[in-house]
């Protein structure tokens, strides 16, 4: 395994870092304060090619592999220091484009991917429901076939990008008694009669990323809206999206952690107490070291999981390990950052206060830490090893 970035990957990283520092970082506080969606920023991110990273060039994407996609999302987070924006970009790229690319018909790929890649369309992935979060296969949104239509009824919750989405991947069950095997995935366009983006949810943080509760009320879809095969919505479409989410999506958050560490280092050099910079105190240095170790360990786990995806290695155990470690490390890194900033860390004039709130969701979204501990233990008990 060689995780050294190629010259092309380094150049991409440099370009994205500069873009994010110039275009994203300056507005992060305002987006947090207002919660307004910045469509022109989304378009600029699309123009740079970030919204179509893993999609082949023939559909308007960059044709990047999982490792390159991870590195690019990491640079976006590092330069931009806006976790919410990373969440929206990650959902769009990883949870929407990957399933359309891997399970979409040629007509679906041609219809949706170019618009998703350039940023004309915003994508959302609608699996979670009020009564089905960790137990995602327990969804109640129903689908029935009526002639040449699928008819969806039900409601989702906590759906990233839903309030602004042009196209959603929505999951529905034809028969709840069949559990995961009853679930199919559908591509739903905004404006379809019977579909409503629902209310926008108020959150603790990540205000740059709108979260909503889409509703399907006799939402009639053409048969061509089916994504993948009937009954394979959970076992294939959702499973693949969630695998990529665990391995790649959190790259944006890793980047934010790297950028935060740089801010903290600068602060410890500049802030003086007892006539010395904070950086002189050994206990502060200990925290800096802990932050760096956690970030670097998380990065290695994430790059390894992405490498598994690129090299046709079983990735699900490694992706869960990476997701679990990265998101718990994120909370610990921000806790240390806030403590090093002291009272100023709690004030809105420094970014740590905002990023602390943003990172709080990391161990919940994409499967809670407990669920990933269960997945990891289950895999190990089934004899799946850590060799790759
Ligand atoms: C900001 C945000 C954005 C999100 N974006 C999306 C999105 O774009 N698309 C989407 O589909 N979903 C999205 N989600 C949903 C997210 O995936 C779920 O919140 C998550 O899976 C947990 O489900 P839940 O919130 O219903 O918690 P619950 O499932 O109710 O869990 C509550 C607690 O019980 C624990 N628990 C549950 N079952 C077990 C068990 N078997 N053993 C041990 N402990 C257990 C959990 O670990 C947790 O601590 C988002 C969530 C948030 C907060």
């Amino acid at each position: 395994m060689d995780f050294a970035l190629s010259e092309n990957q380094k150049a991409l990283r440099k370009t994205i870092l500069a873009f994010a520092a110039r275009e994203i970082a300056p507005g992060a506080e305002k987006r947090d304060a207002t919660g307004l969606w910045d469509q022109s920023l989304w378009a600029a991110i699309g123009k740079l090619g970030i919204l179509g990273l893993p999609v082949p060039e023939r559909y308007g994407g960059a044709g990047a592999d999982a490792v390159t996609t991870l590195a690019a999302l990491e640079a976006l987070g590092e330069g931009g220091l806006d976790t919410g924006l990373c969440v929206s970009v990650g959902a769009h790229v990883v949870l929407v484009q990957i399933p359309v690319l891997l399970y979409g018909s040629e007509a679906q790929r041609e219809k949706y991917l170019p618009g998703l890649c350039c940023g004309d369309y915003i994508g959302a992935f609608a699996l979670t429901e009020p009564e089905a979060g960790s137990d995602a296969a327990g969804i109640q949104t129903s689908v029935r076939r009526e002639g040449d239509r699928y008819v969806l009824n039900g409601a989702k919750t906590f759906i990233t990008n839903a309030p602004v989405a042009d196209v959603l991947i929505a999951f529905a069950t034809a028969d709840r008694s069949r559990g995961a095997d009853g679930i199919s995935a559908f591509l739903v366009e905004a404006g379809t009669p019977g579909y409503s983006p629902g209310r926008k949810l108020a959150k603790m943080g990540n205000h740059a990323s709108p979260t909503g509760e889409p509703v399907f009320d006799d939402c009639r879809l053409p048969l061509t809206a089916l994504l993948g095969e009937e009954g394979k919505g959970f076992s294939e479409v959702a499973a693949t999206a969630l695998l990529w989410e665990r391995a790649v999506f959190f790259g944006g958050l890793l980047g934010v952690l790297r950028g935060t560490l740089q801010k903290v280092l600068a602060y410890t050099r500049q802030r003086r107490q007892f006539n010395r910079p904070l950086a002189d105190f050994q206990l502060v240095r200990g925290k800096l070291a802990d932050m760096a170790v956690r970030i670097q360990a998380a990065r290695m786990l994430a790059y390894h999981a992405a490498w598994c995806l690129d090299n046709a290695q079983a990735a699900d155990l490694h992706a869960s390990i990476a997701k679990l470690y990265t998101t718990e490390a994120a909370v610990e890194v921000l806790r240390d950052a806030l403590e090093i900033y002291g009272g100023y860390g709690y004030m809105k004039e420094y970014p740590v206060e905002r990023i602390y709130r943003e990172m709080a969701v990391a161990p919940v979204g994409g499967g809670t830490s407990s669920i990933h501990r269960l997945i990891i233990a289950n895999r190990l008990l089934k004899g799946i090893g850590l060799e790759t």
Side-chain angles (χ1 to χ4, degrees), residues 5 48 86 158 230 282 286 300 313 361 381 387:
L5 296 184
L48 194 66
C86 290
F158 303 152
E230 274 188 21
Q282 287 187 337
M300 292 303 102
Q313 302 288 323
V361 77
L381 289 167
E387 291 79 26

Side-chain angles (χ1 to χ4, degrees), residues 120-190:
D120 284 353
Y121 297 160
I122 302 164
F125 174 90
L127 176 63
T128 303
E129 298 184 358
E131 301 302 328
S134 300
D135 181 15
I139 58 169
Q140 297 176 13
T141 294
S142 67
V143 57
R144 66 175 193 274
R145 180 90 179 258
E146 268 187 18
D148 63 352
R149 288 284 184 268
Y150 289 110
V151 185
L152 268 61
N153 278 287
K156 302 287 176 178
T157 195
F158 303 152
I159 306 305
T160 298
N161 295 344
V164 292
D166 300 287
V167 56
L168 292 90
I169 299 179
F171 296 86
T173 177
D175 180 357
R176 287 196 71 209
S177 70
R178 292 177 58 212
D181 292 338
I183 297 174
S184 302
F186 300 90
L187 284 158
V188 181
E189 295 175 19

Side-chain angles (χ1 to χ4, degrees), residues 18-365:
F19 167 86
R22 191 178 63 243
E23 305 289 339
I24 297 177
E29 305 300 329
K30 190 173 168 197
R31 285 188 293 276
D32 176 57
T34 63
L36 294 177
W37 177 256
D38 188 341
Q39 185 59 34
S40 62
L41 180 58
W42 186 259
I45 296 170
K47 201 170 170 196
L48 194 66
I50 297 170
L51 296 179
L53 281 163
V55 174
E57 289 175 18
R58 68 178 181 281
Y59 301 115
D65 59 13
V67 165
T68 308
T69 303
L70 173 63
L73 294 178
E74 191 182 8
L76 193 75
E78 186 174 345
L81 285 178
D82 187 333
T83 321
L85 201 65
C86 290
V87 167
S88 277
V89 171
H92 175 91
V93 171
V94 173
L95 292 174
V96 178
Q97 289 180 337
I98 291 295
V100 174
L101 182 62
L102 298 184
Y103 296 102
S105 64
E106 192 52 34
Q108 287 171 330
R109 292 178 188 173
E110 284 174 3
K111 182 172 183 190
Y112 295 109
L113 288 176
L116 288 166
C117 288
C118 72
D120 284 353
Y121 297 160
I122 302 164
F125 174 90
L127 176 63
T128 303
E129 298 184 358
E131 301 302 328
S134 300
D135 181 15
I139 58 169
Q140 297 176 13
T141 294
S142 67
V143 57
R144 66 175 193 274
R145 180 90 179 258
E146 268 187 18
D148 63 352
R149 288 284 184 268
Y150 289 110
V151 185
L152 268 61
N153 278 287
K156 302 287 176 178
T157 195
F158 303 152
I159 306 305
T160 298
N161 295 344
V164 292
D166 300 287
V167 56
L168 292 90
I169 299 179
F171 296 86
T173 177
D175 180 357
R176 287 196 71 209
S177 70
R178 292 177 58 212
D181 292 338
I183 297 174
S184 302
F186 300 90
L187 284 158
V188 181
E189 295 175 19
T192 304
Y195 165 73
S196 150
R199 68 182 174 127
K200 182 179 163 189
L201 299 170
K203 308 194 294 292
M204 175 196 276
N206 289 314
H207 298 146
S209 174
T211 312
E213 291 196 319
V215 177
F216 306 92
D217 181 8
D218 272 338
C219 176
R220 305 174 83 79
L221 302 172
L223 300 185
T224 52
L226 178 70
L227 179 62
E229 291 176 36
E230 274 188 21
K232 298 282 176 63
F234 195 83
S235 59
E236 292 187 351
V237 179
T240 303
L242 296 177
L243 177 63
W244 270 74
E245 179 182 43
R246 292 156 190 175
V248 176
F249 174 102
F250 290 93
L253 277 67
L254 279 169
V256 174
L257 297 180
R258 285 182 81 175
T260 301
L261 178 58
Q262 293 308 316
K263 294 267 180 210
V264 174
L265 287 168
Y267 188 79
T268 60
R269 293 190 187 102
Q270 162 253 312
R271 169 77 172 167
R272 297 177 73 84
Q273 289 292 282
F274 302 96
N275 294 321
R276 296 157 74 185
L278 296 184
D280 276 7
F281 301 119
Q282 287 187 337
L283 289 174
V284 171
R285 288 183 172 216
K287 281 192 170 44
L288 296 176
D290 287 347
M291 291 170 78
V293 169
R294 288 188 174 112
I295 292 169
Q296 193 62 1
R299 293 186 66 228
M300 292 303 102
L301 290 171
Y303 276 91
H304 177 235
W307 177 90
C308 287
L309 285 177
D310 286 337
N311 289 277
Q313 302 288 323
D316 66 338
L317 173 60
H318 300 294
S320 272
I321 291 173
K323 193 284 172 187
L324 171 64
Y325 186 82
T326 298
T327 55
E328 295 206 334
V331 173
E332 286 163 354
V333 165
L334 263 298
R335 183 199 60 213
D336 282 347
L338 195 143
E339 194 177 329
I340 289 176
Y341 269 74
Y344 293 108
Y346 202 64
M347 299 297 141
K348 288 196 177 284
E349 62 199 272
Y350 289 94
V352 167
E353 180 272 341
R354 170 179 58 82
I355 299 170
Y356 184 96
R357 285 186 283 108
E358 292 173 347
M359 288 295 172
V361 77
V364 174

